[in-house]
């Protein structure tokens, strides 16, 4: 089986789920974050036989990592609304998050994207780290400034590299392929290199376009791009890459 | 120059400061409680970070810092801010100040002990255990479940079983008792971590760069950090020498997790099997140094100095 793991509100993932089904990826199980916390029965083991899990969802489906052929993972958080107000709510939140980190780690490849120590579906990096990394990858980058006297509350407002209103476009990398508008080879190669060094095979990269002297420049990155921007070609490639391990399917 | 960040009276910071003094290395202390007199700016141009840090009335280029030892506490818990309202300008300033400092340290070419990102593996013990296994260590048989029946079967299979948090919070290891089993149905609310108890000697290994300090801990307690509470006696600590390949495994493990400085919790069985329970990315090494005299803080100071 293959897994599409996402929030129930992730319309981009739901679109991809339908598209992958249409491409013959079967059985492809849609597993939402909500299903994983509401009346699911968990059995996760780590030891001499490696890491395994067996999750029985409330609807009776059983997810066993040994039967999984590939995964699209877009989990960002652990929804525990049903425990809100409980005296140990914050503790439960920490525990569930730690459990999710571990069972996602036990999922077999290919996985787009795998859990990292700083994010359930790929590392969530601060914009300063992305811009630093983009330069290492060979992408043109604007200068970035941050200081103790900035008026930004990052819990409310994301920092941006480019001023609000700057026209940008999003490209999506999937392994060694780049999906988006036509771009110079140097930019395409830089995008692929950024995906590689950030260990985020499915990466959304925002680029500024159309400026007079620097036609293309890095403007941001996310491990959770809107997959619809990659269109049908992205889904074709995603299906192809997921299908590699089809023999493990039941 | 070395930058020490945190509360200067906290023992690990104080010990590293003393060691830097002893070997004549220049350093500056960023005392979190004096935040009001600090300023910091960060700029990244073509992938190169630069910036200024003002503290103690002096101004430094961040390029001056070739080593950083950071034990920053959550600024919300600073005595100066404990009663600050949520919209306090001081809180907002601290948020921006310490964020700027952290963002710089994450990408700085300086030796940083430790960067934040690699510390994240310690947030989930079974996640970290999967990484630990790759470096050749045994990990205890572990079950995480919200199904009481599976716990009963696990206990029947392994006999002595312990339980502890999955994450880093409330992390006191306890033996699962018959009394605990009378309320085992409570786990239906939240999956819980159980482990087969491993007999043997607890060994804490501190690695700093490629230096290794091993300390054996003798105690009857399930969790030696709480030995007095659990067994009535304090744990006894003594310096031990690891065989070369085990020392190398520890160095490789810490490096593989991206940790310049690590506290690795091992248990060595009577059959000489080596189990690794956890890698602590912010080890309170002073407890071990004070009990054994092992020169851990000196090694940290030397590492920061590039030695």
């Amino acid at each position: 089986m293959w897994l599409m793991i996402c929030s129930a509100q992730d319309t981009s993932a739901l679109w991809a789920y339908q598209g992958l089904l249409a491409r013959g990826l079967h059985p492809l199980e849609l597993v939402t974050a909500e299903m994983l916390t509401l009346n699911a029965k968990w059995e996760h083991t780590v030891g001499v036989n490696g890491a395994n899990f067996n999750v029985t969802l409330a609807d009776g489906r059983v997810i066993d990592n040994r039967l999984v052929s590939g995964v699209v993972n877009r989990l960002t958080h652990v929804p525990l609304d049903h425990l809100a107000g409980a005296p140990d709510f914050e503790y439960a939140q920490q525990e569930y998050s730690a459990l999710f980190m571990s069972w996602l780690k036990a999922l077999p490849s290919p996985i787009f994207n795998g859990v990292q120590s700083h994010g359930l579906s790929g590392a969530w990096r601060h914009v300063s780290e992305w811009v630093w990394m983009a330069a290492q990858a060979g992408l043109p980058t604007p200068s970035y400034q941050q200081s103790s006297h900035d008026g930004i509350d990052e819990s409310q407002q994301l920092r941006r590299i480019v001023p609000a209103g700057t026209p940008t476009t999003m490209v999506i990398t999937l392994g060694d392929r780049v999906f988006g508008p036509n771009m110079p080879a140097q930019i395409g190669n830089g995008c692929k290199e950024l995906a590689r060094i950030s260990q985020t095979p499915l990466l959304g990269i925002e680029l500024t376009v159309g400026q007079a002297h620097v036609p293309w420049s890095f403007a941001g990155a996310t491990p959770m791009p809107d997959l619809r921007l990659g269109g049908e070609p992205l889904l074709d490639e995603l299906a192809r890459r997921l299908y590699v391990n089809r023999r493990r399917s039941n | 120059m070395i930058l020490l960040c945190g509360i200067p009276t906290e023992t690990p910071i104080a010990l590293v400061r003393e060691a830097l003094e002893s070997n004549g290395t220049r350093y500056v202390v960023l005392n979190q409680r004096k935040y009001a007199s600090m300023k910091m700016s960060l700029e990244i141009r073509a992938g190169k970070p630069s910036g200024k840090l003002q503290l103690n009335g002096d101004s430094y280029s961040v390029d001056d810092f070739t080593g950083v030892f950071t034990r920053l506490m959550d600024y919300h818990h600073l005595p100066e801010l404990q009663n600050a309202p949520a919209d306090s300008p001081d809180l907002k300033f601290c948020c921006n100040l310490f964020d700027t400092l952290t963002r710089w340290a994450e990408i700085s070419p300086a030796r940083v002990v430790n960067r934040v990102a690699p510390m994240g593996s310690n947030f989930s013990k079974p996640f970290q255990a999967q990484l630990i296994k790759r470096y050749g260590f045994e990990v205890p048989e572990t079950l995480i479940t919200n199904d009481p029946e599976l716990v009963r079967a696990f206990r029947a299979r392994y006999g002595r079983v312990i339980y502890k948090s999955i994450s880093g919070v409330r992390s006191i290891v306890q033996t699962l008792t018959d009394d605990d089993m009378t309320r085992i149905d409570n786990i239906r609310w939240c999956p819980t971590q159980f482990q087969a108890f491993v007999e043997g000697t607890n060994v804490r290994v501190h690695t700093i760069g490629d230096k290794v300090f091993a300390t054996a801990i003798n105690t009857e307690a399930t969790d030696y950090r709480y030995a007095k509470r659990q067994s009535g006696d304090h744990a006894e600590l003594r310096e031990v020498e690891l065989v070369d390949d085990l020392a190398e495994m520890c160095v490789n493990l810490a490096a593989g997790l991206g940790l310049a400085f690590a506290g690795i919790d091992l248990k060595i069985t009577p059959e000489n099997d080596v189990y690794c329970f956890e890698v602590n990315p912010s080890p309170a090494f002073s407890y071990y140094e004070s009990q054994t005299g092992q020169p851990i803080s000196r090694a940290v100071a030397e590492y920061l100095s590039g030695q």
Side-chain angles (χ1 to χ4, degrees), chain B residues 286-298:
Chain B
S286 46
Y287 169 62
Y288 304 87
E289 181 163 325
S290 67
Q291 298 286 311
T292 65
Q294 290 168 295
I296 304 170
S297 57
R298 193 169 76 202

Side-chain angles (χ1 to χ4, degrees), chain A residues 40-42 44-48 88 94-95 98 102 105 126 132 143-150 152 154, chain B residues 39-40 42-44 47 93 96 99 103 117 123-124 126 130 133 140-142 144-147 166-167 170:
Chain A
K41 191 174 95 175
W42 282 89
H44 176 30
T45 56
V46 182
V48 70
D88 283 333
Q94 299 283 321
E95 291 291 280
S102 185
K105 186 74 184 165
H126 190 260
W132 171 76
S143 150
Y144 172 85
Q145 282 101 22
Q146 175 175 348
S147 89
S148 52
H149 285 73
D150 290 346
I152 293 178
E154 290 201 53
Chain B
K39 283 183 185 173
M40 186 170 187
L42 165 66
E43 181 169 21
I44 305 167
F93 174 73
N96 279 301
D99 188 61
R103 298 307 163 199
F123 175 74
S124 169
Q130 293 179 59
K133 245 179 101 58
E141 292 301 320
T142 300
I144 300 162
T145 189
N146 54 1
D147 181 348
I166 311 169
S167 68
R170 288 192 206 171

Side-chain angles (χ1 to χ4, degrees), chain B residues 164-205:
Chain B
K164 60 185 182 182
S165 62
I166 311 169
S167 68
V169 296
R170 288 192 206 171
S171 187
I172 302 175
V173 185
Q174 306 266 16
T175 298
L176 183 66
T177 63
D178 290 340
D179 188 42
D180 294 323
M181 292 304 291
T182 63
R183 53 196 175 89
I184 195 66
D185 279 359
N186 287 346
I187 69 168
R188 292 183 198 280
W189 290 100
C190 184
T192 303
Q193 176 168 233
F194 302 88
Q195 273 180 352
F197 182 77
V198 177
E199 293 285 355
T201 304
N202 286 297
V203 177
R204 160 56 76 96
V205 179

Side-chain angles (χ1 to χ4, degrees), chain A residues 35-103:
Chain A
M35 291 173 185
L36 290 165
T37 53
L38 198 57
N39 298 320
K41 191 174 95 175
W42 282 89
E43 179 183 8
H44 176 30
T45 56
V46 182
V48 70
N49 293 323
N52 293 292
F53 64 84
N54 193 300
V55 187
T56 306
L57 303 176
D59 60 14
R61 286 181 295 159
V62 177
I63 311 296
D64 181 329
N65 69 302
R66 284 159 291 207
L67 301 176
V68 174
S69 298
V71 184
V72 179
N73 168 36
R74 288 173 59 93
L75 276 187
T76 56
H77 68 291
V78 181
L80 289 178
D81 296 346
H82 60 291
L83 295 180
D88 283 333
F89 177 71
E90 284 182 16
Y91 176 73
Q93 232 175 6
Q94 299 283 321
E95 291 291 280
Y96 260 108
S97 297
L99 169 60
F100 273 36
M101 268 181 81
S102 185
W103 85 270

